[in-house]
Amino acid sequence: MMTVDFKINGKSVSISAEPDTPLLWVIREHLKLTGTKYGCGAGMCGACTVHINGRSARSCRAQLQDMAGKSVTTIEGLSAASDHPLQKAWIAEQTPQCGYCQSGQIMQAADLLQKNPHPTRDEIVRHMDGNICRCGTYPRIVRAIERAVKEG
């Protein structure tokens, strides 16, 4: 066991667990923030996407021992009132079908807009590649990102 201090959604936390505990399990089981989802456990699907020090990362592949002093943002921390432009655009475009992957999709899109506030459609598609939606709502995801760019 080891204790690691880091910030999550702007709040300081101290977590005691095995050093190789995936950040995903720390978020869901220790901190009870269940918006971040388990998908594949191999970093391939994007359902568990969070931001670590402002960059998107797969939380299933990040380990607790590597979080010391870092800042993590989950979907719950993206916007206190759930009114981030992407969240509003997701609703307006009726993007989710089952909704399971959507928190990871939004966090990946937020990473894009942080780096590039006015991406082209091709840049959106390229950046979102690797975030899998089994329901196939990709056209709605792209439209929602485009809407967030316009209305954001």
Side-chain angles (χ1 to χ4, degrees):
M1 294 283 275
M2 74 181 297
T3 300
V4 176
D5 297 324
F6 63 99
K7 286 190 176 193
I8 189 151
N9 300 332
K11 297 177 181 171
S12 295
V13 294
S14 185
I15 302 295
S16 294
E18 293 298 322
D20 61 349
T21 301
L23 177 60
L24 175 62
W25 298 134
V26 171
I27 292 168
R28 291 185 57 81
E29 301 299 324
H30 293 262
L31 299 170
K32 305 300 181 192
L33 297 170
T34 57
T36 304
K37 304 299 184 199
Y38 173 82
C40 65
M44 303 297 291
C45 75
C48 69
T49 301
V50 298
H51 295 174
I52 300 174
N53 287 345
R55 303 289 314 255
S56 66
R58 306 298 202 239
S59 63
C60 70
R61 303 302 296 163
Q63 296 181 346
L64 176 63
Q65 64 191 350
D66 299 324
M67 293 303 108
K70 294 189 178 171
S71 178
V72 177
T73 304
T74 67
I75 190 71
E76 293 91 344
L78 188 62
S79 168
S82 298
D83 62 355
H84 187 280
L86 284 165
Q87 291 168 313
K88 293 183 341 188
W90 242 250
I91 293 166
E93 292 295 330
Q94 299 179 358
T95 302
Q97 187 166 323
C98 85
Y100 194 82
C101 70
Q102 298 305 309
S103 62
Q105 299 279 358
I106 290 171
M107 295 304 287
Q108 184 73 12
D111 178 63
L112 169 64
L113 298 186
Q114 183 176 19
K115 291 187 276 192
N116 180 358
H118 300 287
T120 65
R121 186 177 190 84
D122 286 342
E123 289 169 329
I124 292 169
V125 170
R126 197 169 29 259
H127 187 82
M128 297 303 292
D129 186 39
N131 276 66
I132 297 170
C133 174
R134 292 189 64 176
C135 298
T137 66
Y138 300 113
R140 288 185 268 176
I141 290 167
V142 171
R143 280 196 310 269
I145 296 168
E146 291 172 329
R147 178 184 284 251
V149 167
K150 288 179 200 166
E151 297 176 1

